[in-house]
């Protein structure tokens, strides 16, 4: 199993551009989530999904959209990138809900100029 | 706001010594988890302790949980240089919040 994969690993955007961060898992996990990690801030939950077709907001959802059309994929869309969205983004999955072991992807380092 | 808060923010020890990190949280929980993050990598799950458990062991790791004080500790015994990483606690309350982590450096 590949586990949780994320693409791209690095990305540089200009302010106002849009892009999609990809996340996929091959463990048939129902729960998937997106976090951002800023220096000294730990991880903050952006959006999460408890299954295909179901998404919900986390702690810091503004400026991001998600969808969950399949169990495997959970893309994160930046609608109009801002410098404040410069961060490292992690995708995670778990078999049932957020309260058990989560498996993390390797992260996407995003810089918005 | 962050649910888990780790203490200390940074810890530097010699190889072979024990490392203790603490975590405090604010609301009631069902379980608490500890994760490790090596520089530039994703988080790796270490151990989960449920609210009705007081202590749990996994190899060189020992985790305690005191729900009355809303705190947990992670003890790494006989530390190795490979244990150098950041350690995070996370609770299942309020959307799985993580603290800012403890940066552990183990000097060979």
């Amino acid at each position: 199993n590949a586990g949780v994969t994320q693409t791209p690993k690095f990305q540089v955007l200009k302010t106002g551009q849009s892009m999609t961060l990809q996340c996929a898992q091959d463990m048939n996990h129902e729960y998937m989530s997106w976090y951002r990690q800023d220096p000294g801030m730990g991880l903050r939950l952006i959006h999460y999904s408890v299954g295909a077709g179901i998404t919900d907001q986390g702690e810091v959802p503004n400026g991001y959209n998600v969808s969950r059309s399949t169990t495997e994929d959970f893309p994160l869309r930046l609608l109009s990138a801002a410098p404040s969205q410069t961060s490292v983004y992690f995708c995670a999955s778990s078999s049932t809900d957020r309260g058990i072991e989560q498996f993390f992807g390797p992260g996407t380092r995003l810089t918005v100029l | 706001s962050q649910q888990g808060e780790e203490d200390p923010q940074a810890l530097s020890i010699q190889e072979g010594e024990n490392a203790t990190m603490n975590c405090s949280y604010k609301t009631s929980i069902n379980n608490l988890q500890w994760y490790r993050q090596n520089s530039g990598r994703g988080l790796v799950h270490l151990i989960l302790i449920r609210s009705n458990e007081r202590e749990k062991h996994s190899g060189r790791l020992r985790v305690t949980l005191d729900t009355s004080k809303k705190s947990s500790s992670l003890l790494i015994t006989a530390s190795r240089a490979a244990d150098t990483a950041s350690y995070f606690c996370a609770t299942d309350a309020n959307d799985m919040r993580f603290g800012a982590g403890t940066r552990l450096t183990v000097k060979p």
Side-chain angles (χ1 to χ4, degrees):
Chain A
N1 289 349
V4 180
T5 58
Q6 291 183 237
T7 56
K9 291 186 178 179
F10 302 95
Q11 182 71 50
V12 179
L13 293 177
K14 295 181 179 178
T15 297
Q17 287 184 317
S18 62
M19 78 159 296
T20 299
L21 279 63
Q22 302 292 344
C23 174
Q25 52 89 12
D26 60 0
M27 297 172 281
N28 201 32
H29 284 171
E30 291 294 326
Y31 182 82
M32 297 185 73
S33 54
W34 276 102
Y35 295 88
R36 59 178 289 174
Q37 184 176 32
D38 302 304
M41 292 290 292
L43 279 76
R44 291 184 290 170
L45 183 66
I46 305 172
H47 285 284
Y48 64 96
S49 169
V50 298
I54 306 170
T55 63
D56 208 345
Q57 296 181 350
E59 184 183 4
V60 287
N62 292 343
Y64 307 95
N65 271 358
V66 292
S67 59
R68 186 91 179 273
S69 56
T70 66
T71 299
E72 294 78 18
D73 300 299
F74 190 43
L76 177 72
R77 298 183 187 84
L78 279 70
L79 308 174
S80 178
S84 60
Q85 293 178 305
T86 293
S87 188
V88 181
Y89 291 84
F90 289 99
C91 179
S93 74
S94 60
S95 59
T96 54
D97 60 40
R98 57 183 171 264
I100 64 171
E101 176 184 358
Q102 292 200 60
F103 294 81
F104 282 81
T108 294
R109 186 175 295 275
L110 175 68
T111 301
V112 183
L113 303 175
Chain B
S1 63
Q2 292 169 329
Q3 170 71 328
E5 300 284 347
E6 294 88 352
D7 171 65
Q9 291 186 338
L11 180 62
S12 182
I13 60 175
Q14 294 293 134
E15 208 166 25
E17 293 180 339
N18 296 340
T20 299
M21 288 157 271
N22 303 298
C23 169
S24 60
Y25 56 92
K26 297 183 175 69
T27 63
S28 297
I29 62 171
N30 294 313
N31 62 59
L32 183 144
Q33 302 178 50
W34 284 91
Y35 288 81
R36 183 188 74 231
Q37 183 181 35
N38 291 94
S39 180
R41 303 286 187 90
L43 277 71
V44 174
H45 182 264
L46 293 176
I47 196 166
L48 179 152
I49 186 166
R50 302 193 185 282
S51 60
N52 61 355
E53 297 175 311
R54 291 297 167 259
E55 187 172 312
K56 201 163 184 179
H57 297 257
S58 178
R60 294 183 296 113
L61 305 180
R62 173 178 170 257
V63 169
T64 62
L65 179 64
D66 187 334
T67 53
S68 66
K69 296 181 179 178
K70 292 187 170 55
S71 67
S72 173
S73 67
L74 170 67
L75 168 67
I76 304 175
T77 60
S79 63
R80 305 167 182 168
D83 294 327
T84 294
S86 291
Y87 292 82
F88 297 86
C89 67
T91 68
D92 63 334
N94 298 331
D95 304 325
M96 193 71 176
R97 303 277 176 101
F98 287 81
T102 292
R103 292 185 306 279
L104 174 66
T105 301
V106 181
K107 301 174 183 176

